[in-house]
């Protein structure tokens, strides 16, 4: 029988160091085959993301997006992940959607930051105060335990709510001042126009961009991309699909050669900061292959509990 892993029970088995190690190990395996499919009924959506990594397994992550659900006191996004054996294709586990998404999203950014941010980073700015912001605080706190955290949000009330639930977070009133003061800027917003401007950046910073996932979405402007060494989690899921890079590539503001590396370059050592004063910028695009790696790690941790 497959394992059924819920959010609370699964989370109790996990830590951020272990997940980062699992994600790095997953990228030493053959490059994943991935595919997405969408079904629609009016405003409602069914998204299926599938991945197969030879030597690791197969996963299908299904998400239902029903925008009217909050009015019914139900989450707008629901779903689950089915993990299948690489050996014989049998169903090994059904894992809570929100558990996989939380750890995959923040773990993706944390793995990059452990390679690209300066180890002595002490000021971390979180841009956006939604659900992902809580996970980012947890993840970054694990790798930068001495850091001070600040949050900026379009709605000051949202930033205040996050700060009230996490005492170590201060609220920033001005985004420009907050970006200039930060060693690490991690952004998880729904912005369609850039919020973070290259003129605000200073040598040695690391910028982590999570929010943009559609072709019309961006969180940083062309100047930020031009000033930074650019890294992505996967060229396959970012360059042609997400506005953060697709738009400046189409306009000629940057070229594909400006993308230094993705996670599949980790074994060769190319995914790394090379100087203390360089600005590094990472685009977290997600992708079903990362869901698969995360889900496989969750199952391993669950079995070892």
């Amino acid at each position: 029988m497959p394992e059924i892993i819920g959010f609370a029970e699964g989370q109790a088995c996990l830590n951020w160091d272990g997940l980062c190690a699992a994600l790095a190990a997953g990228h030493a395996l053959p490059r994943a085959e991935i595919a997405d499919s969408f079904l629609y009924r009016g405003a409602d959506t069914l998204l299926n993301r599938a991945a197969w990594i030879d030597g690791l397994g197969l996963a299908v992550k299904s998400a239902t997006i029903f925008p009217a659900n909050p009015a019914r006191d139900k989450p707008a996004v629901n779903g689950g992940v089915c993990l299948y054996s690489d050996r014989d294709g049998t169903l090994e586990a059904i894992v809570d959607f929100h558990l996989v998404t939380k750890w995959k999203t923040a773990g993706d950014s944390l793995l990059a930051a452990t390679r690209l941010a300066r180890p002595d980073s002490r000021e971390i700015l979180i841009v956006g105060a939604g659900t992902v912001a809580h996970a980012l605080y947890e993840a970054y706190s694990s790798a930068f335990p001495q850091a001070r955290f600040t949050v900026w949000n379009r709605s000051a009330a949202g930033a205040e709510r996050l700060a009230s639930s996490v005492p170590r977070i201060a609220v920033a009133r001005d985004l420009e001042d907050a970006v200039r003061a930060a060693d690490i800027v991690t952004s998880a917003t729904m912005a369609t126009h850039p919020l973070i401007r290259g003129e605000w950046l200073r040598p040695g910073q690391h910028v982590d961009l999570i929010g943009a996932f559609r072709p019309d979405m961006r969180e940083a402007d062309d100047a930020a991309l031009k000033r930074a060494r650019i890294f992505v989690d996967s060229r396959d899921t970012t360059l042609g699909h997400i506005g953060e890079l697709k738009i400046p590539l189409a306009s000629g503001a940057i070229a594909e050669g400006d993308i230094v590396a993705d996670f599949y370059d980790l074994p060769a050592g190319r995914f790394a900061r090379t100087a203390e004063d360089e600005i590094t910028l990472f685009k977290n695009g997600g992708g079903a292959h990362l869901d698969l790696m995360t889900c496989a790690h969750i199952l391993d941790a669950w079995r070892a509990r």
Side-chain angles (χ1 to χ4, degrees), residues 205-222:
Q205 285 180 309
H206 173 61
V207 180
D208 169 33
L209 303 176
I210 301 164
F213 60 90
R214 295 195 317 246
D216 62 337
M217 298 177 77
R218 294 187 70 179
E219 294 187 295
D221 67 3
D222 288 351

Side-chain angles (χ1 to χ4, degrees), residues 157-169:
E160 295 285 358
R161 281 193 297 273
L162 178 62
S164 68
S165 66
V166 184
R168 284 183 59 196
I169 297 183

Side-chain angles (χ1 to χ4, degrees), residues 27-288:
H27 286 90
L29 296 172
R31 188 175 287 268
E33 292 189 50
I34 55 176
D36 293 350
S37 66
F38 297 84
L39 298 175
Y40 304 98
R41 184 190 63 188
D44 301 334
T45 303
L46 169 63
L47 164 63
N48 283 306
R49 312 191 80 172
W52 190 339
I53 298 174
D54 187 22
L56 185 64
L58 305 83
V60 178
K61 180 181 180 181
S62 299
T64 59
I65 302 98
F66 280 51
N69 271 6
R72 308 179 185 118
D73 293 323
K74 297 179 180 179
V77 180
N78 295 280
V81 184
C82 291
L83 179 66
Y84 298 91
S85 166
D86 186 61
R87 183 183 65 258
D88 57 18
T90 54
L91 179 63
E92 292 191 309
I94 301 172
V95 187
D96 181 87
F97 171 90
H98 300 287
L99 177 67
V100 176
T101 299
K102 170 189 172 176
W103 286 79
K104 183 278 297 279
T105 302
D108 187 346
S109 287
L110 184 62
L111 176 60
T114 58
R115 270 60 174 183
L116 301 178
R118 288 171 49 152
D120 62 352
S121 295
R122 291 294 180 267
E123 301 291 339
I124 299 178
L125 171 64
I126 301 174
V127 182
T131 302
V132 176
H134 290 264
L136 290 171
Y137 171 77
E138 290 181 24
Y140 274 97
S141 293
S142 72
F144 302 91
Q146 304 304 315
R148 293 177 291 269
F149 287 81
T150 305
V151 60
W152 179 90
N153 192 58
R154 283 190 187 274
S155 162
E160 295 285 358
R161 281 193 297 273
L162 178 62
S164 68
S165 66
V166 184
R168 284 183 59 196
I169 297 183
V171 175
R173 303 300 176 186
D174 183 84
L175 180 58
E176 178 179 350
D177 289 345
V179 170
R180 290 183 183 275
D183 298 313
I184 297 172
V185 179
T186 178
S187 183
T189 72
M190 297 292 286
T192 54
H193 299 287
L195 294 169
I196 299 166
R197 305 201 172 278
E199 65 194 68
W200 302 345
L201 303 180
R202 58 177 173 78
Q205 285 180 309
H206 173 61
V207 180
D208 169 33
L209 303 176
I210 301 164
F213 60 90
R214 295 195 317 246
D216 62 337
M217 298 177 77
R218 294 187 70 179
E219 294 187 295
D221 67 3
D222 288 351
L225 298 177
K226 289 178 178 179
R227 292 193 62 192
R229 295 179 72 232
I230 304 169
F231 298 81
V232 298
D233 50 15
S234 170
R235 289 180 173 88
D236 295 338
T237 60
T238 55
L239 303 194
H241 305 279
I242 295 173
E244 199 75 74
L245 297 176
K246 183 176 182 177
I247 293 170
L249 284 169
S251 72
I254 62 171
E256 287 199 21
D258 293 320
I259 313 303
V260 177
D262 71 5
F263 282 156
Y264 282 103
D265 295 309
L266 280 168
R270 291 193 295 273
F271 197 102
R273 170 179 287 270
T274 57
E276 287 194 357
D277 62 350
E278 69 189 13
I279 298 168
T280 55
L281 183 147
F282 173 69
K283 176 53 196 162
N284 174 333

